[in-house]
Amino acid sequence: MKSVKQLAIRGAIWTIVGFGGIQILRFGNNLILTRLLEPEYFGLMALVTTIRVGLELFSDVGIGQNIVNSKRGDEPTFLNTAWSIQAIRGVVIWFLCILIAYPIAQFYNDVRLWWLIPIVTLSSVIDGFSCTSVHTLHRRMVLGKLSLYELIMQASFLSTLILLVWFYPNIWSLAIAPVIGAIYKLVSSYWLIPKYSNHFEWEPEAVKEILSFGKWMFVASTLMFAAEQTDRLVLGKILSFEMLGVYTVAYTLASIPREVIKQLSYKVIFPAISHQSDLPRPTLRAKIIRQRWLMLFTCAIVLAGLVTVGDLVVGILYDKRYAAAIWMMPILCSGIWFSLLFYTISPALLAISKPLYSAQSNFARFGIIALGVPLANYSFGVLGAIIVIAFSDVPLYIVNLYGLWQEKLTCFAQDIQTTAFFIAVLALFLAIRNHLGFGLPIQTLF
């Protein structure tokens, strides 16, 4: 039997390799699609995807987290009950999308949304019937197999998307592709673990446990959506869909380090801490801090590099329609450091069954975006809105820090030291760039 540390190390390697491969595929796919389609289409799809994700998070009861964290997470009855809840939830989401499609189309003054929303969110129904085998692999930390599976699924989806857009370069190809991708996942999820399947079952005790844990996950997930997706909803109203598409390209590239850490947070850090959550708090805190050093130092170097050269990459790879993404990129990258501090420690609060702190953290970020972005855009234009979005993770981090202090898991001293290291590395990289004659990343603004 491998130790939790060995499983975590192996899981981290596989997660980085698998997710890194997925990001490379997405990046290549993005380059191809931006040449075949208008920026407006990316803005429309960003808005539709935000609405779909929002309804999924508003109805989230933490099925995956329950399976990973529960002592009954390997029992067939518990798994089948969880699957049943998941399937019902998917159908409900789609019906809600049908109901809200018309008012949303009216609000954003685009009749295409009336049809795009029901088509894209049909994938939620299909996803709901997918096997819980993926969550079981998370629980067992069999992340090599899981990473390979996700890489194959992503490659299948993206190749299908490119073929559709190649023959039919319109918004409807972007809408249909997620539905086809959901079908791929549905079928393949029943092949992941031999002799593993789900069927409808409803055990009251399992339902009670899932919903008891899920009531806080619902709050946390709802506010997570508000925190992470409100920017697109607000920008979709105050900017054109074309500018929203440009912002989406810049944000997607800038968020790569955050997405990698989020994957590690969910797939490695959370299950690893869950296995040790019964330890005394000082012992658990010492273990977390010891393992966190390497992650933060590595992230600091990677993020500093992305801030330094990200604008050059955008300028080389994208055409003049995406020129605004050049100056957006370094600004958005700079604020991601606080996300990295948050996601490398926030799973500890979830593992000790304290998801309320996550909800409070996300509410703080939501407040900054919902109020700050429109005001900043009114006073300083698009630049002001982007700066507010870039540093909206600061309140997220501060509130989470309070929760860690309350639960005797604080790591503030470590955060100060690694932040100083990040600033020093960034200053060095910028000095080297300037010395080589490339100026500063935001020079296009002047």
Side-chain angles (χ1 to χ4, degrees), residues 61-86 132 135-136 139 196-214:
V61 291
I63 298 295
Q65 292 90 339
N66 264 291
I67 292 172
V68 171
N69 202 46
S70 174
K71 290 180 170 55
R72 298 187 60 196
D74 287 316
E75 295 181 17
T77 299
F78 185 87
L79 292 170
N80 288 328
T81 301
W83 178 85
S84 301
I85 295 173
Q86 172 183 281
T132 58
H135 304 311
T136 295
R139 175 182 174 83
Y196 185 112
S197 64
N198 295 117
H199 60 266
F200 190 85
E201 191 168 350
W202 197 265
E203 186 201 59
E205 287 185 14
V207 172
K208 183 178 179 180
E209 180 180 340
I210 291 169
L211 297 182
S212 177
F213 182 85

Side-chain angles (χ1 to χ4, degrees), residues 274-398:
S274 293
H275 279 94
Q276 305 175 82
S277 59
D278 293 333
L279 291 173
R281 292 295 166 82
T283 305
L284 181 61
R285 176 179 173 274
K287 284 179 173 289
I288 293 170
I289 288 177
R290 188 164 58 248
Q291 301 302 322
R292 195 168 173 251
W293 281 113
L294 179 60
M295 272 193 293
L296 288 178
F297 280 134
T298 303
C299 287
I301 296 170
V302 172
L303 185 59
L306 195 57
V307 174
T308 304
V309 303
D311 64 310
L312 301 177
V313 173
V314 172
I316 292 170
L317 296 178
Y318 293 88
D319 60 48
K320 61 182 181 180
R321 294 175 299 169
Y322 298 89
I326 294 174
W327 62 262
M328 290 182 187
M329 179 78 172
I331 296 174
L332 292 169
C333 284
S334 299
I336 286 176
W337 175 249
F338 295 97
S339 281
L340 303 182
L341 293 177
F342 173 79
Y343 284 112
T344 51
I345 191 63
S346 59
L349 294 173
L350 188 59
I352 61 172
S353 300
K354 299 289 183 179
L356 179 59
Y357 293 117
S358 177
Q360 293 170 339
S361 299
N362 283 306
F363 180 74
R365 187 178 193 269
F366 162 71
I368 291 295
I369 292 178
L371 298 176
V373 170
L375 289 174
N377 181 72
Y378 178 78
S379 302
F380 305 103
V382 178
L383 174 61
I386 296 300
I387 291 174
V388 171
I389 291 170
F391 291 94
S392 59
D393 285 330
V394 175
L396 177 87
Y397 164 73
I398 291 174

Side-chain angles (χ1 to χ4, degrees), residues 226-287:
E228 295 187 355
Q229 305 293 330
T230 301
D231 56 337
R232 292 166 180 81
L233 296 177
V234 173
L235 293 178
K237 184 62 178 176
I238 64 178
L239 303 179
S240 67
F241 281 124
E242 182 177 359
M243 183 57 76
L244 178 60
V246 173
Y247 164 78
T248 301
V249 168
Y251 186 86
T252 301
L253 294 176
S255 297
I256 289 175
R258 173 197 279 143
E259 294 305 313
V260 172
I261 289 299
K262 282 177 69 174
Q263 290 291 312
L264 287 172
S265 177
Y266 173 55
K267 294 182 179 178
V268 180
I269 301 173
F270 172 55
I273 297 176
S274 293
H275 279 94
Q276 305 175 82
S277 59
D278 293 333
L279 291 173
R281 292 295 166 82
T283 305
L284 181 61
R285 176 179 173 274
K287 284 179 173 289

Side-chain angles (χ1 to χ4, degrees), residues 69-260:
N69 202 46
S70 174
K71 290 180 170 55
R72 298 187 60 196
D74 287 316
E75 295 181 17
T77 299
F78 185 87
L79 292 170
N80 288 328
T81 301
W83 178 85
S84 301
I85 295 173
Q86 172 183 281
I88 294 169
R89 170 176 167 263
V91 175
V92 171
I93 288 171
W94 190 57
F95 277 114
L96 287 174
C97 284
I98 293 173
L99 291 175
I100 67 172
Y102 179 73
I104 289 176
Q106 292 293 105
F107 181 76
Y108 287 101
N109 300 315
D110 197 309
V111 70
R112 289 172 294 181
L113 292 170
W114 193 2
W115 297 103
L116 282 171
I117 293 171
I119 292 172
V120 173
T121 52
L122 186 59
S123 60
S124 296
V125 180
I126 300 168
D127 277 338
F129 288 91
S130 293
C131 186
T132 58
S133 56
V134 171
H135 304 311
T136 295
L137 291 181
H138 280 162
R139 175 182 174 83
R140 298 173 184 173
M141 298 184 72
V142 186
L143 299 182
K145 184 175 184 177
L146 185 59
S147 297
L148 183 60
Y149 167 73
E150 291 177 343
L151 186 59
I152 293 171
M153 285 297 98
Q154 193 67 32
S156 301
F157 163 67
L158 293 178
S159 59
T160 301
L161 174 58
I162 290 173
L163 282 173
L164 280 172
V165 172
W166 182 270
F167 290 107
Y168 306 100
N170 55 52
I171 188 66
W172 305 109
S173 293
L174 291 178
I176 294 169
V179 179
I180 298 174
I183 294 172
Y184 292 161
K185 180 183 175 184
L186 170 65
V187 175
S188 61
S189 65
Y190 286 89
W191 299 342
L192 260 180
I193 301 176
K195 299 179 181 179
Y196 185 112
S197 64
N198 295 117
H199 60 266
F200 190 85
E201 191 168 350
W202 197 265
E203 186 201 59
E205 287 185 14
V207 172
K208 183 178 179 180
E209 180 180 340
I210 291 169
L211 297 182
S212 177
F213 182 85
K215 65 183 179 182
W216 292 118
M217 284 306 305
F218 165 76
V219 176
S221 296
T222 299
L223 291 172
M224 182 185 296
F225 163 78
E228 295 187 355
Q229 305 293 330
T230 301
D231 56 337
R232 292 166 180 81
L233 296 177
V234 173
L235 293 178
K237 184 62 178 176
I238 64 178
L239 303 179
S240 67
F241 281 124
E242 182 177 359
M243 183 57 76
L244 178 60
V246 173
Y247 164 78
T248 301
V249 168
Y251 186 86
T252 301
L253 294 176
S255 297
I256 289 175
R258 173 197 279 143
E259 294 305 313
V260 172

